Amino acid sequence: LNPNVLHQLRAHAKKHQATINDIILSELYLTLNAWNLKHTGTGRNIRIGIATDLRLDEHIDQMPAANILGLIFLDRSKRILRDPARLLRSIVRETRYIKRHRLGYTLVRALDLIGRVYGGMSLFMRESKCYTTAILSNLGPVFDKTLLPSRGGALTFGGVTLRSVALLPPVRAHTHLSVGVTTLQGQLRITLHYDSRSLANSQAKTLAADYGARIAALAQEMPRTRQAA
């Protein structure tokens, strides 16, 4: 996305007492809802799984190069998806509650309990149901605190220049797509990883473009006086 988008999104998030993650999550719900309405004629309830960081201060020295992640699931009814303002408010409330009570551990603990039952994990993994509409993982700023030099706004590693970073969250069976978001040198990048049995390449490109366009349009709604704040 255009480098100006991130600055504008920060202003939009501040205005609504939200985080950038809340904003891009809300827009993903709206994008998927619009897709469903266009292709099926009816809205559907949508569940999005969100990767959450479980790293604590003590993990910095113990596991400096490994991720420690949980997964939470947020459900939204087709009724609330018709009201973008109400949708965002509900997301802000729920994500705050999740962070305050560290509910990112819920899935980890549930899997631990399932694994204690003989054959439980095998049955769970073979389940033919689709538990999640989509996955969203926002890696946030990449190399934002690095001491590496930059050239023309891009990081350099000897003779190598890092121009972009793509995040590809895995796509589990029966989940159609995963969306990865990264920020490098103040620029947002969105990557859509999809199940080709569910979406054609042209459909996936259209869906990714719709999502990016919706975020960019939201950022442009901010008055110029707010952009400079």
Side-chain angles (χ1 to χ4, degrees):
L1 299 178
N2 187 295
N4 293 328
V5 168
L6 183 60
H7 180 73
Q8 294 162 338
L9 284 180
R10 287 195 180 112
H12 185 79
K14 183 178 180 180
K15 176 182 177 182
H16 294 278
Q17 298 182 324
T19 65
I20 289 181
N21 207 56
D22 294 333
I23 301 295
I24 62 176
L25 173 59
S26 178
E27 294 306 307
L28 181 57
Y29 275 112
L30 295 174
T31 301
L32 295 177
N33 185 54
W35 180 272
N36 286 339
L37 289 171
K38 178 180 178 181
H39 291 275
T40 68
T42 59
R44 297 179 180 176
N45 297 341
I46 295 176
R47 172 181 293 164
I48 296 180
I50 307 168
T52 59
D53 186 10
L54 302 179
R55 183 183 293 276
L56 300 175
D57 289 342
E58 62 260 28
H59 297 140
I60 295 175
D61 294 328
Q62 297 172 359
M63 303 175 65
N67 290 324
I68 305 177
L69 298 175
L71 195 65
I72 58 173
F73 301 93
L74 273 65
D75 291 27
R76 290 299 180 269
S77 68
K78 57 184 179 182
R79 182 177 179 181
I80 196 173
L81 293 174
R82 294 195 293 263
D83 187 341
R86 182 184 171 200
L87 171 65
L88 179 58
R89 289 195 300 269
S90 72
I91 289 172
V92 171
R93 286 195 302 269
E94 189 165 2
T95 55
R96 282 180 181 173
Y97 185 85
I98 288 167
K99 291 174 184 176
R100 187 180 304 120
H101 297 281
R102 296 188 62 78
L103 297 184
Y105 282 102
T106 302
L107 177 62
V108 177
R109 289 166 178 160
L111 291 175
D112 177 57
L113 292 174
I114 292 172
R116 296 184 185 188
V117 178
Y118 179 77
M121 188 63 72
S122 178
L123 289 172
F124 177 76
M125 296 304 294
R126 285 203 306 263
E127 181 60 63
S128 59
K129 283 183 176 181
C130 173
Y131 288 105
T132 313
T133 309
I135 297 292
L136 174 65
S137 180
N138 180 11
L139 194 60
V142 180
F143 299 121
D144 60 321
K145 298 179 181 179
T146 183
L147 299 178
L148 291 168
S150 63
R151 183 186 302 128
L155 296 177
T156 57
F157 304 78
V160 178
T161 299
L162 179 64
R163 301 193 181 280
S164 65
V165 176
L167 175 64
L168 289 174
V171 176
R172 186 183 180 274
H174 311 298
T175 297
H176 299 320
L177 62 96
S178 293
V179 178
V181 180
T182 57
T183 304
L184 179 66
Q185 299 292 295
Q187 185 171 22
L188 278 174
R189 176 178 177 135
I190 298 170
T191 308
L192 193 147
H193 188 196
Y194 66 97
D195 186 340
S196 59
R197 295 169 297 183
S198 304
L199 292 170
N201 180 260
S202 59
Q203 291 178 311
K205 286 183 177 180
T206 299
L207 185 58
D210 289 349
Y211 183 41
R214 185 179 285 275
I215 292 176
L218 180 69
Q220 290 174 359
E221 290 177 7
M222 294 301 298
R224 292 187 179 275
T225 53
R226 291 288 297 174
Q227 292 176 22

